[in-house]
Amino acid sequence: MKKIALITGATSGIGLGCARKFAQGGYDLIITGRRQEILNEVENELKEIGADVKTLCFDVRNREQCKAAIDSLEGKWNTIDVLINNAGLALGLEKEYEGSYDDWDTMIDTNIKGLLNMTRMVVPQMVKRNAGHIINIGSVAGDAAYANGNVYCATKAAVKTITDGLRIDVAETAVRVTNIKPGLVETNFSVTRFHGDKEKADAVYKGVKPLTGDDIADVALYAAQAPAHVQIAEVLVLATHQANGSTIVRK
């Protein structure tokens, strides 16, 4: 029987890249997102690759929706082998004392609470089966704050700490836990951060070749397919001309 991976935020960017790579790697997929029409499009694409697909339309920020979605799974879909907590975003690039309360709430509720919601609802069955893998998509931003990154950086620092804590909590089991920390990745990330201003978003990648969602998906699949005794605990993935969260050489 094929293994099953559940990917949050699978309709674009890193999440979509992971869905494609895991389908190509022989997994069946549970894909989640907030837009059913986009989930349907992704489902059709993944089925053409050869994967069986289940779509769940809900917002990871909403605990009741998370629970209802997981509780709705039946049959083989109840056995989730890999949970990829990918859903996340950055909003705004203001100084901390000028930041938007709404942006803060959205980032904290999605990047931290959403990840916790899914972890709480999926990992117990992994522990019970003594098998499974949680892959959290963190960020280089979680290693050190950069100018005007304040709250976003804090949420990704929380992802690192939460991931490390979970790894300790399940160390007595065969469940594995991975934190993947991308650097500059060209997705809709910057468009979202600048509230739809594509000109500002494009400037983020000017003069440097950034990573793609597929690049990060390659790392996630490698971690998932490592031998059972190998736990890829943490991976920092940067563009070649990026040294850390704030040092990027543009040419």
Side-chain angles (χ1 to χ4, degrees):
M1 183 179 291
K2 294 167 71 173
K3 289 187 175 182
I4 294 173
L6 188 159
I7 304 168
T8 65
T11 54
S12 65
I14 294 172
L16 178 56
C18 285
R20 289 168 173 160
K21 292 288 183 181
F22 275 73
Q24 293 164 2
Y27 285 75
D28 286 335
L29 295 164
I30 302 170
I31 55 173
T32 88
R34 293 180 295 167
R35 296 170 294 177
Q36 186 65 55
E37 68 277 12
I38 305 299
L39 285 170
N40 292 342
E41 292 175 8
V42 176
E43 177 184 11
N44 291 334
E45 178 185 345
L46 298 177
K47 284 183 174 178
E48 289 182 3
I49 297 173
D52 194 6
V53 182
K54 175 79 172 176
T55 67
L56 295 175
C57 186
F58 67 97
D59 189 334
V60 296
R61 295 177 295 176
N62 187 310
R63 190 166 296 155
E64 289 72 27
Q65 289 183 14
C66 290
K67 186 175 187 309
I70 298 302
D71 286 348
S72 74
L73 297 174
E74 299 178 340
K76 74 173 186 178
W77 300 112
N78 272 316
T79 304
I80 297 167
D81 299 286
V82 180
L83 168 63
I84 302 179
N85 280 314
N86 163 75
L89 76 170
L91 289 171
L93 202 62
E94 296 85 19
K95 295 182 184 299
E96 187 171 321
Y97 57 84
E98 296 174 335
S100 159
Y101 294 117
D102 289 341
D103 286 352
W104 291 352
D105 287 344
T106 300
M107 286 187 284
I108 291 168
D109 289 348
T110 306
N111 300 356
I112 301 176
K113 292 182 181 179
L115 180 149
L116 287 171
N117 287 338
M118 294 304 296
T119 299
R120 181 65 180 85
M121 293 169 195
V122 173
V123 175
Q125 57 100 342
M126 292 182 174
V127 171
K128 185 177 180 180
R129 291 186 295 111
N130 196 36
H133 194 162
I134 304 93
I135 300 175
N136 291 334
I137 304 300
S139 172
V140 63
D143 288 347
Y146 54 72
N148 300 338
N150 44 76
V151 174
Y152 172 69
C153 294
T155 66
K156 289 303 184 177
V159 169
K160 172 178 170 51
T161 304
I162 290 166
T163 306
D164 290 345
L166 179 61
R167 193 180 304 111
I168 294 167
D169 290 341
V170 299
E172 64 183 6
T173 76
V175 177
R176 300 184 295 183
V177 184
T178 299
N179 182 22
I180 299 176
K181 305 184 301 184
L184 198 63
V185 184
E186 187 167 13
T187 63
N188 286 331
F189 177 88
S190 289
V191 175
T192 300
R193 167 168 248 168
F194 293 114
H195 299 282
D197 190 328
K198 194 168 187 308
E199 186 175 344
K200 280 187 177 181
D202 289 344
V204 173
Y205 311 107
K206 188 174 181 180
V208 64
K209 185 172 182 178
L211 302 168
T212 67
D214 286 348
D215 294 328
I216 306 308
D218 281 335
V219 178
L221 184 60
Y222 172 79
Q225 291 184 331
H229 71 286
V230 177
Q231 180 171 217
I232 309 298
E234 186 170 286
V235 184
L236 175 64
V237 191
L238 303 175
T240 298
H241 293 291
Q242 179 178 16
N244 53 37
S246 57
T247 304
I248 301 170
V249 177
R250 304 178 188 275
K251 298 183 178 182

